[in-house]
């Protein structure tokens, strides 16, 4: 029997209903959307970020507070720690829970306008294998200039500036009366090669390593139960394929509803 005016969309609708009734709702519709997005790796340049870092394709609830990453010029990852900007110089080690960062202001220019001490949030970061290096800006000159001097030129005026080398400045004392003295964290191994102002640039670009604490033990347990780590409403959560749990998949359900809302009732 032919029905020239039979509306095709209605027939398709009943066809889909029939397929769903026979074979069930596709599994992918039932996955918790947060489980999927928190499994994303945020790639910036050749550096990859997973939990506790968030940014880009990793929503805020996929990371821990204080670990937001911005990808500058689509290739350079930046993290802000205690209001200071740092560049992440290689992919964080999610087994050792470490990240290596370098001061952004000193990365290309060891003579910034307004140099400040390295600031670290010790609640979430613990410097690992680091050394303090002191930089002295705008100092009285020493003649002849020692190896640990570096020049800075502002508006045509060149100033004398020094860095201390583990207190072994060949017996030369840095004169008092410098305009600005700052302390920066550097890598202990890199600083051994520090002998000149060119070396100073390299040491500042190499950065230093921070061990991070972002409920690492909870995250390991969650990952081992095939979940994805996250953080929501002030506490750690483990996102699993079906829903969110407080610690690990198939454990105690977390209070928040799962990401798919209306589809949940159709899952089995
Ligand atoms: C340090 O990190 C903790 C945890 O993310 C945060 O609550 C605190 O505000 C941070 N402190 C500073 C000075 O940024
Ligand atoms: C670096 O200096 C700060 C104070 O400016 C101090 O708290 C810290 O212990 C020093 N770190 C090292 C590795 O010497
Ligand atoms: C450069 O140095 C001269 C002489 O010390 C000073 O008068 C002038 O203000 C300086 N210029 C700047 C931009 O600091
Ligand atoms: C989750 O828990 C239920 C009930 O305790 C158990 O039957 C099921 O096998 C568990 N599933 C997984 C993936 O561990």
């Amino acid at each position: 029997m032919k029905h020239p005016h039979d509306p095709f969309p209605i027939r398709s609708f009943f066809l889909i209903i029939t397929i769903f009734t026979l074979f069930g709702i596709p599994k992918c519709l039932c996955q918790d959307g947060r489980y999927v997005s928190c499994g994303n790796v945020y790639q910036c340049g050749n550096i990859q970020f997973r939990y506790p870092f968030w940014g880009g394709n990793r929503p805020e609830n996929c990371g821990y507070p204080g670990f937001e990453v911005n990808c500058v010029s689509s290739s350079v990852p930046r993290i802000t720690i205690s209001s200071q900007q740092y560049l992440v110089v290689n992919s964080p080690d999610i087994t050792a829970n470490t990240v290596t960062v370098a001061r952004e202001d000193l990365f290309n220019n060891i003579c910034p306008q307004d140099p400040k001490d390295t600031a670290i949030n010790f609640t979430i970061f613990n410097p690992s294998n680091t050394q303090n290096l002191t930089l002295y800006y705008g100092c009285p000159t020493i003649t002849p200039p020692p190896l640990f001097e570096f020049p800075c030129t502002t508006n045509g005026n060149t100033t004398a500036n020094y860095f201390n080398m583990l207190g072994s400045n060949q017996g030369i004392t840095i004169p008092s009366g410098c305009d600005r003295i700052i302390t920066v964290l550097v890598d202990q191994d890199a600083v051994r090669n520090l002998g000149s102002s060119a070396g100073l640039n390299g040491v500042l670009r190499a950065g230093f390593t921070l061990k991070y604490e972002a409920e690492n033990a909870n995250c390991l347990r969650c990952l081992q139960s095939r979940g994805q780590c996250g953080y929501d409403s002030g506490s750690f959560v483990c996102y699993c394929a079906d829903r969110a749990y407080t610690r690990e998949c198939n454990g105690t359900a977390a209070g928040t509803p799962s990401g798919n809302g209306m589809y949940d009732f159709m899952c089995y």
Side-chain angles (χ1 to χ4, degrees), residues 3-212:
H3 294 276
H5 301 294
D6 190 8
F8 183 70
I10 295 214
R11 274 203 285 183
S12 307
F13 177 76
F14 282 111
L15 180 66
I16 288 167
I17 291 295
T18 308
I19 289 170
F20 278 11
T21 308
L22 291 177
F23 303 107
I25 302 292
K27 190 74 186 156
C28 59
L29 275 186
C30 301
Q31 278 205 346
D32 191 310
R34 298 166 302 179
Y35 167 76
V36 177
S37 52
C38 294
N40 289 344
V41 173
Y42 182 28
Q43 176 103 26
C44 178
N46 53 11
I47 301 183
Q48 298 187 324
F49 295 94
R50 295 178 168 80
Y51 181 90
F53 299 90
W54 60 278
N57 58 350
R58 295 183 50 79
E60 184 166 7
N61 64 297
C62 297
Y64 199 79
F67 290 86
E68 182 183 9
V69 173
N70 285 297
C71 196
V72 183
S73 312
S74 310
S75 63
V76 183
R78 172 198 283 152
I79 185 169
T80 303
I81 303 172
S82 297
S83 310
Q84 211 165 58
Q85 288 172 340
Y86 295 87
L87 302 180
V88 180
V89 300
N90 50 30
S91 294
D93 183 333
I94 59 165
T95 307
N97 303 124
T98 56
V99 58
T100 302
V101 298
R103 287 275 296 262
E104 185 173 18
D105 57 343
L106 298 168
F107 197 79
N108 288 315
N109 174 20
I110 55 179
C111 308
Q113 283 285 308
D114 183 23
K116 291 192 172 71
D117 290 331
T118 293
I120 295 299
N121 184 342
F122 291 102
T123 310
I124 48 176
F125 293 112
N126 188 19
S128 166
N129 196 38
T130 61
Q131 172 79 46
N132 280 330
L133 186 72
T134 311
L135 303 180
Y136 301 78
Y137 288 97
C139 302
T141 52
I142 301 173
T143 41
L147 272 177
F148 54 91
E149 185 189 283
F150 59 98
C152 292
T153 305
T154 320
N155 301 324
N157 283 352
T158 300
T159 55
N161 313 275
Y162 309 101
F163 55 90
N164 83 344
M165 293 180 6
L166 312 177
S168 60
N169 286 340
Q170 297 136 7
I172 302 169
T173 308
I174 293 168
S176 57
C178 302
D179 291 339
R180 180 79 68 100
I181 301 172
I182 66 162
T183 303
V184 297
L185 278 180
V186 293
D187 185 78
Q188 234 170 53
D189 299 325
V191 85
R192 288 201 189 101
N193 305 320
L194 182 60
S196 63
S197 56
L200 175 62
N201 224 310
V203 166
L204 292 169
R205 291 171 75 101
F208 57 95
T209 299
L210 296 171
K211 197 163 165 40
Y212 57 78

